[in-house]
Amino acid sequence: MPETVIETRRLTIAEALREAIAEEMRRDENVFLLGEDVGVEGGFGGAFGVYLGLVEEFGHERIIDTPISEKAIAGAAVGAAVLGMRPVADMQYSDFLFECMDELVNQAAKLRYMSGGKLSVPMVMRAPVGATLRGAQHGQCPESYFVHVPGLKVVAPSDAYHAKGILKSAIRDDNPVLVFEHKLLYGSKGREAAGGYDLTAEVPTDDYTVPIGKAIIKRPGTDATVVATHVSLYRALAAADQLASEDIECEVIDPLTLNPLDEQTIFGSVQKTGRLAIVHEDTLTGGWGAEVAARVADDCLAYLEAPIKRIATRDVPAPAAPVLEQAIVPQVETIVATVKEMLG
Amino acid sequence: MTAPEQTPGDPADAAMVDRLYRGMLLIRRFEERVYRLFLEGEIPGTLHQYHGQEAVATGVCDVLRLDDWITSTHRPHGHALAKGVSARAAMAELDGKRTGCCAGKGGSMHLGDPAVGMLPAIAIVGGGNTVVTGLGLAMKLRKSDQVAACFFGEGATNEGAFHEGLNFAAVEQLPIVLICENNLYGASTPFHRVSLVPDVAERAKAYGVPSQIVDGMDVLAVRAATADAVASARAGAGPTLIECKTYRFTGHSRSDARDYRTDEEEAEWAARDPLLVLGARLDQAASELFEASVKAELDDAVEFARSSPWPEPAEALEGVYA
């Protein structure tokens, strides 16, 4: 049998997400999109251009422009999902999720359980995160609030291939799934804005999915495990490059899903390297890195050759000035220094 | 409980009067029985009871079909029985038994059953007011002629969820009926202390939603208003808000001695008891027959709940994810 050729193109995350939604809408008439500014003609296709062109194909019936009413957006997604629709709800900035905590935490996450398992809530909530010089109320990484909630799944893709595949999985999942993407990684502002990282990835043209709950080893290594998401993942990979020139080999893991966490991949790596650093742009205290650290401490303590390190945004609201923002968000140099410290 | 829709303005026929009376009586006697079982220690937790408001749930749900949906509140016993949750399944749920309508996971404040078109009741004030828009949206997208009704108290109209949900339902012209049970008090706080607008119906006007005020102690009035609103929603004409002026005959919850209300006010509303209002149309023999059949139904429900098994402790870990 000749090997099948998998056709690919290079796409940005924004393009990949758009394809995922369009393909799922074509595949399943129950899928629809709702949010602010998602389908206005002459508008901007959502806050980061992800939805450009969708209203032309699917019309206003399935691309629903809502009032600026985050509670209504989330509540409508919950109610429609209960009746078997598969809504993709959009939050322009993840900071706005606090407007609809009741709908997400008390309703979406709990209706199945409260019904004795009779209902399901197959909805997706997409929300951009990240400090991007927009200050304290448009720059948070609130993933950890939702990682804490039984009944929700939380994913955090960082490249176009995985973003498309896991969004498709999230839409097909019978549970509420929050999809957090980083604003700097959409690719809509070019490479400079993302610190020069290549924001495109090879994406197959065929229908594929990426499973929820499975981490990816982005770079194999033997000396230290570094778990990171989003922009911090790219900084961890840059740090690993630097460290490699000093013969320190990091194993860099993208957890991809924050709940349920792929313990197997992370534990396996730590058992091999004996060292763990977790890097995230969420603030330190109570961040999801603490959960990873606690589980590794529980399960892999005998393998650890150094204390577990968390490299996270400092415990302050995001400041606006570039120099201030840079001072609180994890940087490549910090990751390099921390790994060296772990290696003594 | 579900029955063929009457066209608006139809005179109440005898069968309808019988059906509505029995429906209200079932709720009243259910709540009385539940209170006794609570005092005896058989029912755990707390209770928010529905005595006095029976005409609202009964009149509204009499118009709805089995495949129409409702959302309910922290005070859901009457809504559940009226929408078709059996007394057995409701009683077993209150007892915390596996045979309850939510398998013991919901309890008093989350009664519901998708099989009869009732979400687990939402015990966050105003919580149902956004979720119901999604029920309506699904119905609209599927071009079905189903309708979703949302029960909420006057207190919920000071929540942001009420306003966001109402406006969204209006701009999308969703097939929704909003049923406000204005029982005058949010827990102990009288509505006039927290709203300069005395009538909730007035608030709907701000969103272009038609509304009306009905006597919530008169089940025929509630039913007639709902029939109009449901017919309008089914025809694609969008949401309607109905404000039912009503009164709870008990405290907010079980620990409430009701010292914030006067005896005169309570007596005034007791004289308008929905069972007395509709009972005037029944003869003595009919009402005795209903008492007997309701008693038998509740005896059976209590026995069913008592003899049902507890959930296994391990079941607490099931049903979180699909």
Side-chain angles (χ1 to χ4, degrees), chain A residues 226-307:
Chain A
V226 182
V227 175
T229 55
H230 291 150
V231 172
S232 298
L233 173 65
Y234 291 89
R235 292 182 179 148
L237 288 166
D241 279 345
Q242 281 188 32
L243 289 160
S245 67
E246 299 177 43
D247 287 332
I248 297 169
E249 291 299 330
C250 292
E251 180 146 295
V252 180
I253 295 177
D254 175 359
L256 195 55
T257 301
L258 300 177
N259 187 18
L261 194 65
D262 178 2
E263 293 180 331
Q264 199 182 357
T265 298
I266 295 170
F267 291 175
S269 178
V270 173
Q271 286 164 10
K272 181 174 67 177
T273 64
R275 296 172 186 87
L276 172 65
I278 304 131
V279 195
H280 60 57
E281 207 179 292
D282 197 351
T283 46
L284 181 76
T285 300
W288 59 262
E291 180 64 27
V292 176
R295 293 198 196 187
V296 168
D298 266 354
D299 210 83
C300 309
L301 190 62
Y303 296 88
L304 288 172
E305 293 172 37

Side-chain angles (χ1 to χ4, degrees), chain B:
Chain B
M1 222 43 259
T2 48
E5 220 170 290
Q6 303 286 314
T7 47
D10 266 4
D13 59 40
M16 187 203 290
V17 169
D18 286 356
R19 192 171 67 238
L20 294 172
Y21 187 85
R22 193 186 184 285
M24 293 197 295
L25 189 68
L26 177 68
I27 296 171
R28 175 69 55 86
R29 300 291 178 247
F30 179 90
E31 290 291 47
E32 290 165 355
R33 193 75 71 99
V34 161
Y35 187 39
R36 194 168 291 281
L37 293 170
F38 175 83
L39 293 176
E40 290 167 1
E42 183 168 325
I43 292 178
T46 189
L47 298 171
H48 301 85
Q49 296 206 278
Y50 201 67
H51 314 63
Q53 301 179 209
E54 295 89 346
V56 181
T58 307
V60 168
C61 292
D62 194 61
V63 177
L64 299 176
R65 303 190 312 227
L66 187 64
D67 69 340
D68 292 326
W69 282 72
I70 64 168
T71 68
S72 175
T73 69
H74 58 285
R75 196 179 304 287
H77 303 177
H79 305 142
L81 293 171
K83 192 64 176 66
V85 174
S86 70
R88 278 184 163 201
M91 195 66 84
E93 188 61 33
L94 296 184
D95 270 8
K97 296 299 181 70
R98 184 196 278 151
T99 53
C101 54
C102 306
K105 300 268 179 63
S108 168
M109 282 195 272
H110 303 302
L111 291 185
D113 187 349
V116 300
M118 180 179 180
L119 285 187
I122 293 175
I124 303 295
V125 173
N129 292 66
T130 59
V131 173
V132 74
T133 65
L135 300 176
L137 195 55
M139 293 163 180
K140 181 186 165 192
L141 287 168
R142 290 187 167 148
K143 300 183 169 47
S144 87
D145 69 344
Q146 290 163 285
V147 165
C150 173
F151 290 98
F152 57 98
E154 83 292 339
T157 70
N158 284 333
E159 292 277 8
F162 167 78
H163 299 270
E164 291 197 17
L166 184 55
N167 183 55
F168 186 55
V171 295
E172 288 293 327
Q173 288 290 284
L174 300 177
I176 287 174
V177 181
L178 295 150
I179 306 293
C180 178
E181 301 189 67
N182 185 346
N183 65 14
L184 313 186
Y185 296 87
S188 67
T189 305
F191 194 51
H192 65 79
R193 289 263 299 268
V194 290
S195 171
L196 292 185
V197 180
D199 296 320
V200 168
E202 199 67 17
R203 293 188 160 181
K205 291 179 183 169
Y207 301 99
V209 171
S211 63
Q212 79 178 98
I213 296 171
V214 302
D215 178 357
M217 308 305 267
D218 178 351
V219 68
L220 294 173
V222 172
R223 193 191 185 288
T226 307
D228 287 344
V230 166
S232 169
R234 284 206 209 288
T240 302
L241 185 148
I242 299 170
E243 178 182 8
C244 305
K245 303 283 193 188
T246 184
Y247 201 73
R248 55 172 155 70
F249 288 172
T250 65
H252 165 67
S253 62
R254 292 323 326 162
S255 56
D256 177 3
R258 316 194 307 279
D259 292 336
Y260 49 89
R261 307 200 304 202
T262 62
D263 292 345
E264 293 72 25
E265 179 181 285
E266 292 193 351
E268 198 179 298
W269 283 91
R272 295 170 56 193
D273 185 325
L275 286 167
L276 294 178
V277 173
L278 188 67
R281 290 168 174 262
L282 284 181
D283 61 39
Q284 182 69 22
S287 83
E288 280 170 14
L289 273 176
F290 289 135
E291 286 286 1
S293 83
V294 162
K295 181 175 184 307
E297 186 173 343
L298 292 175
D299 286 346
D300 168 72
V302 170
E303 180 48 36
F304 173 79
R306 272 185 191 143
S307 60
S308 289
W310 297 102
E312 292 295 325
E315 289 172 34
L317 303 181
E318 296 169 1
V320 180
Y321 290 96

